[in-house]
Amino acid sequence: MANRKGARARFGNIRKLPSGRFQARYVGPDGLSHNAHTTFDTKGDAEAWLATVRADIVREAWSPASVTSTRQALTFGTYAERWLSGRRLEARTRAHYRSLLDRQILPTFKGVPLRHITPDLVRDWYATTAIDTPTLRSHAYGLLRTILAQAERDETIRSNPCHIRGAGNSKRVHKIKPATLPELEKIVTTMPERYRLMVLLAAWCQLRFGELAELRRGDVDTKAGVLRIRRGVVRANGERIVKKPKSDAGIRNVAIPPHLLPLVRGHLLEHTEPGKDGLLFPAKQGGHLAPSSLYRVFYRARAAAERPDLRFHDLRHTGAVLAAQTGATLAELMGRLGHSTPGAALIYQHAAADRDMELARRLSALTGTQETT
């Protein structure tokens, strides 16, 4: 009895893949090695599948044609759904991937067997996908490449057919022009009073909308002149989700410029919800402020400042450039902005250098002379 169990156990073999899933393979009556048409969540599932194959062989119901057709029947749509459901992702990232799949990727690849996706098919899809939105296009290509890379690691396909150089990278389409101090002043004075401090903190403290919308009384220390950034609020699948910053660098204390402190104290008295957990910038009906509610009045304010190109998030860029102009080091900028890598902070230093050169040219212009070559 024990020998018969051992014999059954020796049919085929199972290995654990880097993804954590299990792959089953066996040598068929044709003397060739065959992989299962899919990978399995558990080793027990893989063993059960091998048992059914062995039973087919014993009943002489096995054929290499049936194995091939089953393997080819695994479509991209089926595999992509399983890939997405098996990933631990933040709600906002999952919603983004869901949107990319539904709108950009699945309309072309849903019913295509994985093994039939060729480099030519990928190039044809890329040539016509989201051509007017390069960032969205690069995200869609990156997701397709990632899913097919996993299929390659699972040995479901022989190689990843995504080989378009640079397709996963996008260049910034919106070139940010920082607001000048007079423009910022005009925007602030045009905004409703309850939102004026929000604009000022976005610029002078370089805060994101989600960080501002989740600020509470307990996060504001007017004696020390500090804002404690510990959380942010994001919207995903129609729900508002309060969560910690993506990295430890996002958890930070931001010093409030002294000229804003009287305005902060006044706002706490007039517009903030009561209690330690009261929101600093609540919606009129209470609860978190929706971006659309702010944008309706912000758009009018930026028009009054003759800056229709300025997005609310660009105020953070404005403040970062101003901080860089004061001589802030790269490390200081990273700390203030909550960046874990220096790449983004370097952008602000470069922008400040460009503006400093412009100031130097204007100073020279005052003398009525120019450099000669």
Side-chain angles (χ1 to χ4, degrees):
M1 185 71 176
N3 289 337
R4 285 198 297 271
K5 286 183 179 179
R8 285 197 296 269
R10 283 195 296 271
F11 176 75
N13 61 76
I14 298 169
R15 70 184 184 107
K16 190 173 184 179
L17 299 168
S19 63
R21 297 178 65 81
F22 292 85
Q23 182 187 64
R25 68 172 57 177
Y26 65 95
V27 176
D30 56 1
L32 300 176
S33 176
H34 297 276
N35 292 336
H37 67 282
T38 186
T39 55
F40 303 92
D41 292 328
T42 66
K43 186 176 181 181
D45 291 341
E47 290 173 342
W49 184 85
L50 284 173
T52 62
V53 173
R54 187 173 188 276
D56 286 344
I57 294 173
V58 170
R59 293 186 293 108
E60 297 185 352
W62 181 93
S63 72
S66 63
V67 175
T68 302
S69 62
T70 303
R71 183 181 297 171
Q72 290 180 342
L74 180 60
T75 64
F76 177 86
T78 299
Y79 187 84
E81 295 295 342
R82 191 172 67 208
W83 180 91
L84 186 60
S85 64
R87 292 297 177 279
R88 296 181 61 182
L89 303 168
E90 291 188 359
R92 201 172 187 182
T93 302
R94 183 175 296 279
H96 181 51
Y97 285 175
R98 181 76 268 168
S99 177
L100 291 173
L101 283 169
D102 291 342
R103 298 183 182 184
Q104 273 74 44
I105 301 175
L106 291 180
T108 297
F109 294 106
K110 182 177 181 178
V112 180
L114 279 173
R115 291 176 176 266
H116 290 178
I117 299 177
T118 63
D120 283 342
L121 183 59
V122 172
R123 281 192 291 270
D124 290 344
W125 165 81
Y126 183 77
T128 58
T129 297
I131 56 178
D132 295 328
T133 50
T135 299
L136 184 65
R137 188 188 196 194
S138 68
H139 288 181
Y141 177 84
L143 181 58
L144 176 65
R145 181 179 59 194
T146 298
I147 293 173
L148 292 175
Q150 185 62 59
E152 181 183 8
R153 288 191 292 272
D154 288 349
E155 297 186 14
T156 305
I157 57 176
R158 292 182 179 179
S159 63
N160 190 336
C162 295
H163 303 302
I164 304 175
R165 182 174 297 178
N169 302 321
S170 62
K171 295 182 179 179
R172 184 187 294 273
V173 175
H174 178 77
K175 185 174 177 61
I176 300 173
K177 177 186 175 184
T180 64
L181 292 181
E183 289 170 348
L184 183 59
E185 182 180 9
K186 184 64 176 179
I187 290 171
V188 171
T189 56
T190 307
M191 291 287 287
E193 188 176 341
R194 64 186 293 113
Y195 299 131
R196 289 177 182 175
L197 182 65
M198 196 173 196
V199 171
L200 289 167
L201 294 183
W204 291 102
C205 293
Q206 300 86 39
L207 300 186
R208 303 173 178 90
F209 173 83
E211 295 170 340
L212 288 161
E214 174 52 20
L215 274 178
R216 299 174 185 268
R217 280 183 179 269
D219 299 320
V220 183
D221 186 341
T222 54
K223 290 183 179 179
V226 167
L227 297 173
R228 299 187 179 93
I229 310 302
R230 299 294 182 270
R231 304 163 311 281
V233 60
V234 299
R235 189 176 180 87
N237 295 325
E239 298 182 3
R240 291 186 180 91
I241 301 171
V242 176
K243 64 184 190 66
K244 292 181 180 180
K246 289 183 179 180
S247 66
D248 291 341
I251 300 174
R252 64 200 189 279
N253 292 342
V254 179
I256 305 170
H259 74 281
L260 294 185
L261 285 173
L263 299 173
V264 173
R265 296 187 182 102
H267 184 91
L268 287 169
L269 291 173
E270 296 292 333
H271 304 295
T272 301
E273 289 181 338
K276 181 180 178 182
D277 292 330
L279 288 167
L280 205 63
F281 302 106
K284 287 184 178 180
Q285 296 77 25
H288 287 105
L289 178 68
S292 58
S293 299
L294 175 69
Y295 294 163
R296 277 195 294 269
V297 290
F298 177 72
Y299 290 161
R300 290 197 293 268
R302 72 180 186 181
E306 299 182 356
R307 284 299 308 274
D309 61 304
L310 194 72
R311 304 171 303 180
F312 185 80
H313 189 74
D314 295 344
L315 296 174
R316 173 173 155 89
H317 179 94
T318 296
V321 171
L322 290 171
Q325 286 179 325
T326 67
T329 66
L330 182 60
E332 289 167 340
L333 281 175
M334 289 173 61
R336 192 164 180 84
L337 293 163
H339 288 158
S340 56
T341 58
L346 278 171
I347 294 173
Y348 304 123
Q349 285 195 326
H350 292 161
D354 291 342
R355 289 172 65 84
D356 188 53
M357 289 300 297
E358 175 62 23
L359 288 173
R361 284 191 289 270
R362 291 180 183 180
L363 289 170
S364 289
L366 293 177
T367 69
T369 62
Q370 293 182 346
E371 181 183 6
T372 59
T373 58

